[in-house]
Amino acid sequence: MKCLLFISILLATVSVYAQPKIGELSPEIILKDVNGNAISLSSLKGKVVLIDFWASWCGPCKKAIKHLVKVYPSLKAKGFEIYGISIDENRDDWKKAITANKISWLQVNENGGWNAPVANLWKIDQIPTSYLIDKEGKIIARDLDGRELDSKINKLLKL
């Protein structure tokens, strides 16, 4: 019994340390968009990027998306991009949500749900979860929203 407890604690500790951390370079992500084109996170280097994990069925995600819909158009022209990663298992639901929520930024899907490889790599255990990445690809912050997110983006874009 003690051995099982030790193994559980050890696995939990390794899991926490394996998660991408603030100050580190972002791991590469390459997923397909709605048209089936592979879009890599590294292709956005030179821009401030918000990686946004979400799903069509997630109420809090919809609330976060409403804010992003408002600020994205003006920030995009200044060097900001959003790399939206849906964990929807049903691609049709994902595509409908993009239209219904008026999402105009990059959208990719990894339809493995919570067990999808990228979700596992990033240790996603709740959504929405977001990571703010600077122009060099370094993770700056996690799960900022509203004014706090806007302020950090503006600072990174030097606005």
PDB file of all heavy atoms in Angstrom, residues 81-105:
ATOM      1  N   GLU A  81      -1.947  37.379 -32.379  1.00  0.00           N
ATOM      2  CA  GLU A  81      -2.684  36.278 -32.991  1.00  0.00           C
ATOM      3  C   GLU A  81      -3.193  35.342 -31.898  1.00  0.00           C
ATOM      4  O   GLU A  81      -2.618  35.265 -30.813  1.00  0.00           O
ATOM      5  CB  GLU A  81      -1.795  35.506 -33.963  1.00  0.00           C
ATOM      6  CG  GLU A  81      -2.537  34.492 -34.810  1.00  0.00           C
ATOM      7  CD  GLU A  81      -3.696  35.091 -35.593  1.00  0.00           C
ATOM      8  OE1 GLU A  81      -3.449  35.811 -36.575  1.00  0.00           O
ATOM      9  OE2 GLU A  81      -4.861  34.836 -35.212  1.00  0.00           O
ATOM     10  N   ILE A  82      -4.287  34.682 -32.203  1.00  0.00           N
ATOM     11  CA  ILE A  82      -4.834  33.658 -31.306  1.00  0.00           C
ATOM     12  C   ILE A  82      -4.745  32.327 -32.039  1.00  0.00           C
ATOM     13  O   ILE A  82      -5.115  32.228 -33.205  1.00  0.00           O
ATOM     14  CB  ILE A  82      -6.300  33.947 -30.915  1.00  0.00           C
ATOM     15  CG1 ILE A  82      -6.413  35.321 -30.251  1.00  0.00           C
ATOM     16  CG2 ILE A  82      -6.834  32.840 -29.988  1.00  0.00           C
ATOM     17  CD1 ILE A  82      -7.840  35.789 -30.007  1.00  0.00           C
ATOM     18  N   TYR A  83      -4.250  31.323 -31.331  1.00  0.00           N
ATOM     19  CA  TYR A  83      -4.166  29.957 -31.849  1.00  0.00           C
ATOM     20  C   TYR A  83      -5.163  29.161 -31.020  1.00  0.00           C
ATOM     21  O   TYR A  83      -4.854  28.707 -29.918  1.00  0.00           O
ATOM     22  CB  TYR A  83      -2.732  29.443 -31.672  1.00  0.00           C
ATOM     23  CG  TYR A  83      -2.422  28.128 -32.349  1.00  0.00           C
ATOM     24  CD1 TYR A  83      -2.023  28.093 -33.682  1.00  0.00           C
ATOM     25  CD2 TYR A  83      -2.489  26.929 -31.667  1.00  0.00           C
ATOM     26  CE1 TYR A  83      -1.695  26.895 -34.307  1.00  0.00           C
ATOM     27  CE2 TYR A  83      -2.161  25.725 -32.273  1.00  0.00           C
ATOM     28  CZ  TYR A  83      -1.770  25.714 -33.592  1.00  0.00           C
ATOM     29  OH  TYR A  83      -1.445  24.516 -34.202  1.00  0.00           O
ATOM     30  N   GLY A  84      -6.399  29.084 -31.507  1.00  0.00           N
ATOM     31  CA  GLY A  84      -7.472  28.415 -30.785  1.00  0.00           C
ATOM     32  C   GLY A  84      -7.406  26.912 -30.999  1.00  0.00           C
ATOM     33  O   GLY A  84      -7.412  26.460 -32.144  1.00  0.00           O
ATOM     34  N   ILE A  85      -7.344  26.163 -29.907  1.00  0.00           N
ATOM     35  CA  ILE A  85      -7.274  24.701 -29.986  1.00  0.00           C
ATOM     36  C   ILE A  85      -8.542  24.116 -29.375  1.00  0.00           C
ATOM     37  O   ILE A  85      -8.743  24.174 -28.165  1.00  0.00           O
ATOM     38  CB  ILE A  85      -6.053  24.143 -29.238  1.00  0.00           C
ATOM     39  CG1 ILE A  85      -4.769  24.749 -29.789  1.00  0.00           C
ATOM     40  CG2 ILE A  85      -6.033  22.614 -29.325  1.00  0.00           C
ATOM     41  CD1 ILE A  85      -3.520  24.371 -29.004  1.00  0.00           C
ATOM     42  N   SER A  86      -9.380  23.576 -30.232  1.00  0.00           N
ATOM     43  CA  SER A  86     -10.600  22.920 -29.760  1.00  0.00           C
ATOM     44  C   SER A  86     -10.287  21.467 -29.417  1.00  0.00           C
ATOM     45  O   SER A  86      -9.611  20.779 -30.172  1.00  0.00           O
ATOM     46  CB  SER A  86     -11.669  22.960 -30.851  1.00  0.00           C
ATOM     47  OG  SER A  86     -12.694  22.043 -30.557  1.00  0.00           O
ATOM     48  N   ILE A  87     -10.820  21.025 -28.282  1.00  0.00           N
ATOM     49  CA  ILE A  87     -10.689  19.608 -27.928  1.00  0.00           C
ATOM     50  C   ILE A  87     -11.991  18.858 -28.213  1.00  0.00           C
ATOM     51  O   ILE A  87     -12.177  17.743 -27.750  1.00  0.00           O
ATOM     52  CB  ILE A  87     -10.225  19.407 -26.466  1.00  0.00           C
ATOM     53  CG1 ILE A  87     -11.240  19.958 -25.470  1.00  0.00           C
ATOM     54  CG2 ILE A  87      -8.848  20.022 -26.254  1.00  0.00           C
ATOM     55  CD1 ILE A  87     -10.984  19.546 -24.030  1.00  0.00           C
ATOM     56  N   ASP A  88     -12.849  19.491 -29.013  1.00  0.00           N
ATOM     57  CA  ASP A  88     -14.106  18.835 -29.409  1.00  0.00           C
ATOM     58  C   ASP A  88     -13.820  17.507 -30.095  1.00  0.00           C
ATOM     59  O   ASP A  88     -12.958  17.429 -30.966  1.00  0.00           O
ATOM     60  CB  ASP A  88     -14.886  19.716 -30.390  1.00  0.00           C
ATOM     61  CG  ASP A  88     -15.702  20.773 -29.701  1.00  0.00           C
ATOM     62  OD1 ASP A  88     -16.696  20.417 -29.073  1.00  0.00           O
ATOM     63  OD2 ASP A  88     -15.315  21.952 -29.808  1.00  0.00           O
ATOM     64  N   GLU A  89     -14.577  16.504 -29.735  1.00  0.00           N
ATOM     65  CA  GLU A  89     -14.446  15.209 -30.401  1.00  0.00           C
ATOM     66  C   GLU A  89     -15.279  15.166 -31.683  1.00  0.00           C
ATOM     67  O   GLU A  89     -15.010  14.367 -32.561  1.00  0.00           O
ATOM     68  CB  GLU A  89     -14.826  14.089 -29.437  1.00  0.00           C
ATOM     69  CG  GLU A  89     -13.815  14.002 -28.300  1.00  0.00           C
ATOM     70  CD  GLU A  89     -13.975  12.792 -27.442  1.00  0.00           C
ATOM     71  OE1 GLU A  89     -14.047  11.685 -27.985  1.00  0.00           O
ATOM     72  OE2 GLU A  89     -14.019  12.962 -26.214  1.00  0.00           O
ATOM     73  N   ASN A  90     -16.268  16.041 -31.766  1.00  0.00           N
ATOM     74  CA  ASN A  90     -17.116  16.110 -32.949  1.00  0.00           C
ATOM     75  C   ASN A  90     -16.732  17.355 -33.753  1.00  0.00           C
ATOM     76  O   ASN A  90     -17.000  18.486 -33.347  1.00  0.00           O
ATOM     77  CB  ASN A  90     -18.590  16.166 -32.531  1.00  0.00           C
ATOM     78  CG  ASN A  90     -19.518  16.159 -33.710  1.00  0.00           C
ATOM     79  OD1 ASN A  90     -19.325  16.860 -34.701  1.00  0.00           O
ATOM     80  ND2 ASN A  90     -20.571  15.363 -33.608  1.00  0.00           N
ATOM     81  N   ARG A  91     -16.109  17.142 -34.901  1.00  0.00           N
ATOM     82  CA  ARG A  91     -15.630  18.260 -35.726  1.00  0.00           C
ATOM     83  C   ARG A  91     -16.773  19.151 -36.210  1.00  0.00           C
ATOM     84  O   ARG A  91     -16.598  20.360 -36.378  1.00  0.00           O
ATOM     85  CB  ARG A  91     -14.821  17.743 -36.904  1.00  0.00           C
ATOM     86  CG  ARG A  91     -13.459  17.200 -36.478  1.00  0.00           C
ATOM     87  CD  ARG A  91     -12.626  16.706 -37.642  1.00  0.00           C
ATOM     88  NE  ARG A  91     -12.340  17.699 -38.655  1.00  0.00           N
ATOM     89  CZ  ARG A  91     -11.336  18.582 -38.621  1.00  0.00           C
ATOM     90  NH1 ARG A  91     -10.522  18.583 -37.599  1.00  0.00           N
ATOM     91  NH2 ARG A  91     -11.150  19.445 -39.611  1.00  0.00           N
ATOM     92  N   ASP A  92     -17.952  18.589 -36.446  1.00  0.00           N
ATOM     93  CA  ASP A  92     -19.090  19.401 -36.883  1.00  0.00           C
ATOM     94  C   ASP A  92     -19.513  20.372 -35.785  1.00  0.00           C
ATOM     95  O   ASP A  92     -19.827  21.532 -36.071  1.00  0.00           O
ATOM     96  CB  ASP A  92     -20.263  18.515 -37.304  1.00  0.00           C
ATOM     97  CG  ASP A  92     -19.995  17.783 -38.610  1.00  0.00           C
ATOM     98  OD1 ASP A  92     -19.185  18.286 -39.423  1.00  0.00           O
ATOM     99  OD2 ASP A  92     -20.590  16.711 -38.812  1.00  0.00           O
ATOM    100  N   ASP A  93     -19.528  19.915 -34.534  1.00  0.00           N
ATOM    101  CA  ASP A  93     -19.865  20.801 -33.412  1.00  0.00           C
ATOM    102  C   ASP A  93     -18.849  21.937 -33.314  1.00  0.00           C
ATOM    103  O   ASP A  93     -19.206  23.090 -33.074  1.00  0.00           O
ATOM    104  CB  ASP A  93     -19.892  20.029 -32.096  1.00  0.00           C
ATOM    105  CG  ASP A  93     -21.073  19.071 -31.985  1.00  0.00           C
ATOM    106  OD1 ASP A  93     -22.031  19.185 -32.789  1.00  0.00           O
ATOM    107  OD2 ASP A  93     -21.042  18.209 -31.085  1.00  0.00           O
ATOM    108  N   TRP A  94     -17.583  21.608 -33.511  1.00  0.00           N
ATOM    109  CA  TRP A  94     -16.510  22.603 -33.477  1.00  0.00           C
ATOM    110  C   TRP A  94     -16.725  23.648 -34.567  1.00  0.00           C
ATOM    111  O   TRP A  94     -16.680  24.862 -34.305  1.00  0.00           O
ATOM    112  CB  TRP A  94     -15.175  21.879 -33.630  1.00  0.00           C
ATOM    113  CG  TRP A  94     -13.997  22.733 -33.947  1.00  0.00           C
ATOM    114  CD1 TRP A  94     -13.533  23.815 -33.233  1.00  0.00           C
ATOM    115  CD2 TRP A  94     -13.099  22.576 -35.043  1.00  0.00           C
ATOM    116  NE1 TRP A  94     -12.406  24.326 -33.823  1.00  0.00           N
ATOM    117  CE2 TRP A  94     -12.111  23.582 -34.939  1.00  0.00           C
ATOM    118  CE3 TRP A  94     -13.007  21.674 -36.096  1.00  0.00           C
ATOM    119  CZ2 TRP A  94     -11.071  23.717 -35.844  1.00  0.00           C
ATOM    120  CZ3 TRP A  94     -11.970  21.796 -36.995  1.00  0.00           C
ATOM    121  CH2 TRP A  94     -11.014  22.813 -36.865  1.00  0.00           C
ATOM    122  N   LYS A  95     -16.975  23.206 -35.774  1.00  0.00           N
ATOM    123  CA  LYS A  95     -17.165  24.128 -36.891  1.00  0.00           C
ATOM    124  C   LYS A  95     -18.396  25.024 -36.692  1.00  0.00           C
ATOM    125  O   LYS A  95     -18.355  26.228 -36.977  1.00  0.00           O
ATOM    126  CB  LYS A  95     -17.282  23.363 -38.209  1.00  0.00           C
ATOM    127  CG  LYS A  95     -15.971  22.734 -38.647  1.00  0.00           C
ATOM    128  CD  LYS A  95     -16.147  21.917 -39.911  1.00  0.00           C
ATOM    129  CE  LYS A  95     -14.866  21.227 -40.332  1.00  0.00           C
ATOM    130  NZ  LYS A  95     -15.031  20.435 -41.547  1.00  0.00           N
ATOM    131  N   LYS A  96     -19.473  24.450 -36.172  1.00  0.00           N
ATOM    132  CA  LYS A  96     -20.685  25.237 -35.892  1.00  0.00           C
ATOM    133  C   LYS A  96     -20.403  26.292 -34.826  1.00  0.00           C
ATOM    134  O   LYS A  96     -20.890  27.425 -34.913  1.00  0.00           O
ATOM    135  CB  LYS A  96     -21.826  24.321 -35.443  1.00  0.00           C
ATOM    136  CG  LYS A  96     -22.406  23.484 -36.558  1.00  0.00           C
ATOM    137  CD  LYS A  96     -23.463  22.538 -36.013  1.00  0.00           C
ATOM    138  CE  LYS A  96     -23.874  21.516 -37.060  1.00  0.00           C
ATOM    139  NZ  LYS A  96     -24.750  20.478 -36.500  1.00  0.00           N
ATOM    140  N   ALA A  97     -19.614  25.932 -33.813  1.00  0.00           N
ATOM    141  CA  ALA A  97     -19.286  26.873 -32.732  1.00  0.00           C
ATOM    142  C   ALA A  97     -18.438  28.034 -33.241  1.00  0.00           C
ATOM    143  O   ALA A  97     -18.590  29.167 -32.771  1.00  0.00           O
ATOM    144  CB  ALA A  97     -18.573  26.146 -31.599  1.00  0.00           C
ATOM    145  N   ILE A  98     -17.569  27.767 -34.197  1.00  0.00           N
ATOM    146  CA  ILE A  98     -16.756  28.843 -34.778  1.00  0.00           C
ATOM    147  C   ILE A  98     -17.670  29.884 -35.422  1.00  0.00           C
ATOM    148  O   ILE A  98     -17.519  31.086 -35.203  1.00  0.00           O
ATOM    149  CB  ILE A  98     -15.760  28.280 -35.817  1.00  0.00           C
ATOM    150  CG1 ILE A  98     -14.678  27.454 -35.116  1.00  0.00           C
ATOM    151  CG2 ILE A  98     -15.124  29.409 -36.633  1.00  0.00           C
ATOM    152  CD1 ILE A  98     -13.793  26.662 -36.062  1.00  0.00           C
ATOM    153  N   THR A  99     -18.638  29.411 -36.186  1.00  0.00           N
ATOM    154  CA  THR A  99     -19.586  30.315 -36.845  1.00  0.00           C
ATOM    155  C   THR A  99     -20.487  31.012 -35.834  1.00  0.00           C
ATOM    156  O   THR A  99     -20.642  32.235 -35.865  1.00  0.00           O
ATOM    157  CB  THR A  99     -20.438  29.535 -37.865  1.00  0.00           C
ATOM    158  OG1 THR A  99     -19.570  28.925 -38.812  1.00  0.00           O
ATOM    159  CG2 THR A  99     -21.418  30.450 -38.580  1.00  0.00           C
ATOM    160  N   ALA A 100     -21.071  30.235 -34.916  1.00  0.00           N
ATOM    161  CA  ALA A 100     -22.012  30.788 -33.937  1.00  0.00           C
ATOM    162  C   ALA A 100     -21.362  31.835 -33.038  1.00  0.00           C
ATOM    163  O   ALA A 100     -22.004  32.824 -32.664  1.00  0.00           O
ATOM    164  CB  ALA A 100     -22.595  29.662 -33.087  1.00  0.00           C
ATOM    165  N   ASN A 101     -20.088  31.635 -32.702  1.00  0.00           N
ATOM    166  CA  ASN A 101     -19.390  32.562 -31.801  1.00  0.00           C
ATOM    167  C   ASN A 101     -18.628  33.660 -32.546  1.00  0.00           C
ATOM    168  O   ASN A 101     -17.940  34.465 -31.932  1.00  0.00           O
ATOM    169  CB  ASN A 101     -18.433  31.786 -30.891  1.00  0.00           C
ATOM    170  CG  ASN A 101     -19.168  30.933 -29.899  1.00  0.00           C
ATOM    171  OD1 ASN A 101     -19.889  31.432 -29.042  1.00  0.00           O
ATOM    172  ND2 ASN A 101     -19.007  29.622 -30.014  1.00  0.00           N
ATOM    173  N   LYS A 102     -18.738  33.672 -33.876  1.00  0.00           N
ATOM    174  CA  LYS A 102     -18.107  34.690 -34.725  1.00  0.00           C
ATOM    175  C   LYS A 102     -16.593  34.741 -34.523  1.00  0.00           C
ATOM    176  O   LYS A 102     -15.985  35.813 -34.459  1.00  0.00           O
ATOM    177  CB  LYS A 102     -18.736  36.052 -34.478  1.00  0.00           C
ATOM    178  CG  LYS A 102     -20.210  36.068 -34.798  1.00  0.00           C
ATOM    179  CD  LYS A 102     -20.838  37.391 -34.503  1.00  0.00           C
ATOM    180  CE  LYS A 102     -22.321  37.284 -34.838  1.00  0.00           C
ATOM    181  NZ  LYS A 102     -23.125  38.275 -34.218  1.00  0.00           N
ATOM    182  N   ILE A 103     -15.986  33.562 -34.441  1.00  0.00           N
ATOM    183  CA  ILE A 103     -14.541  33.458 -34.246  1.00  0.00           C
ATOM    184  C   ILE A 103     -13.846  33.675 -35.588  1.00  0.00           C
ATOM    185  O   ILE A 103     -14.119  32.978 -36.559  1.00  0.00           O
ATOM    186  CB  ILE A 103     -14.172  32.078 -33.657  1.00  0.00           C
ATOM    187  CG1 ILE A 103     -14.809  31.921 -32.272  1.00  0.00           C
ATOM    188  CG2 ILE A 103     -12.669  31.901 -33.594  1.00  0.00           C
ATOM    189  CD1 ILE A 103     -14.668  30.535 -31.673  1.00  0.00           C
ATOM    190  N   SER A 104     -12.930  34.645 -35.623  1.00  0.00           N
ATOM    191  CA  SER A 104     -12.243  34.968 -36.871  1.00  0.00           C
ATOM    192  C   SER A 104     -10.743  34.664 -36.826  1.00  0.00           C
ATOM    193  O   SER A 104     -10.044  34.910 -37.802  1.00  0.00           O
ATOM    194  CB  SER A 104     -12.451  36.449 -37.201  1.00  0.00           C
ATOM    195  OG  SER A 104     -11.930  37.261 -36.168  1.00  0.00           O
ATOM    196  N   TRP A 105     -10.252  34.136 -35.724  1.00  0.00           N
ATOM    197  CA  TRP A 105      -8.830  33.833 -35.599  1.00  0.00           C
ATOM    198  C   TRP A 105      -8.557  32.368 -35.925  1.00  0.00           C
ATOM    199  O   TRP A 105      -9.470  31.599 -36.165  1.00  0.00           O
ATOM    200  CB  TRP A 105      -8.295  34.185 -34.216  1.00  0.00           C
ATOM    201  CG  TRP A 105      -9.086  33.600 -33.082  1.00  0.00           C
ATOM    202  CD1 TRP A 105      -8.928  32.359 -32.509  1.00  0.00           C
ATOM    203  CD2 TRP A 105     -10.145  34.220 -32.357  1.00  0.00           C
ATOM    204  NE1 TRP A 105      -9.827  32.176 -31.488  1.00  0.00           N
ATOM    205  CE2 TRP A 105     -10.593  33.310 -31.369  1.00  0.00           C
ATOM    206  CE3 TRP A 105     -10.771  35.468 -32.440  1.00  0.00           C
ATOM    207  CZ2 TRP A 105     -11.615  33.601 -30.474  1.00  0.00           C
ATOM    208  CZ3 TRP A 105     -11.794  35.745 -31.542  1.00  0.00           C
ATOM    209  CH2 TRP A 105     -12.202  34.829 -30.577  1.00  0.00           C
TER     210      TRP A 105
END
